[in-house]
Amino acid sequence: MEGTRLIAVGGDYRPTATSRLTVAISDDAGRSWRAARQPPAEFVSAVCSVAWKQATAHKNSCFFVATGPTGSNLSDDGDAWRSLGPIGFHALTALPDQRVYAVGSAGRFGMLQFP
């Protein structure tokens, strides 16, 4: 497990709240944690890692997708996050073929396919 990046997400779930800490990172199998440099500003309820199809072409072996009620985000390293848009979900799962499935309130269902 040494050298594996772990990502934990959360924050203040209240709709009107902005959270200072929404993503924490561990590079030592969870023995220590630090805040992400550029995390999403609002509550994040789920995160998943997605393996690159060609890991040798990228710095990291995977990238991360995170979501919460106010939107979804993408990160190459877990440290800097960028918005995928304002549609949020509550849970995610990633498949080996780089598809990410998401489910949310009111029966919302989504799928992302990465090339």
Side-chain angles (χ1 to χ4, degrees):
M1 188 104 153
E2 196 68 36
T4 300
R5 177 158 281 190
L6 301 176
I7 305 290
V9 297
D12 192 329
Y13 66 90
R14 295 174 294 180
T16 58
T18 299
S19 297
R20 291 184 324 128
L21 178 61
T22 56
V23 177
I25 299 169
S26 175
D27 288 316
D28 58 8
R31 288 187 293 276
S32 64
W33 293 85
R34 64 176 177 80
R37 282 184 296 108
Q38 296 174 311
E42 296 171 333
F43 174 70
V44 180
S45 57
V47 64
C48 66
S49 61
V50 182
W52 289 108
K53 285 184 181 175
Q54 308 234 347
T56 57
H58 302 280
K59 177 181 167 188
N60 302 308
S61 61
C62 66
F63 58 96
F64 302 94
V65 178
T67 195
T70 59
S72 298
N73 301 276
L74 179 69
S75 176
D76 291 332
D77 59 6
D79 242 342
W81 293 83
R82 59 188 176 278
S83 176
L84 291 174
I87 298 173
F89 298 90
H90 298 299
L92 298 169
T93 191
L95 299 180
D97 65 359
Q98 292 189 305
R99 282 183 293 165
V100 175
Y101 288 95
V103 293
S105 59
R108 185 171 37 250
F109 176 84
M111 192 266 297
L112 289 169
Q113 174 72 55
F114 293 93

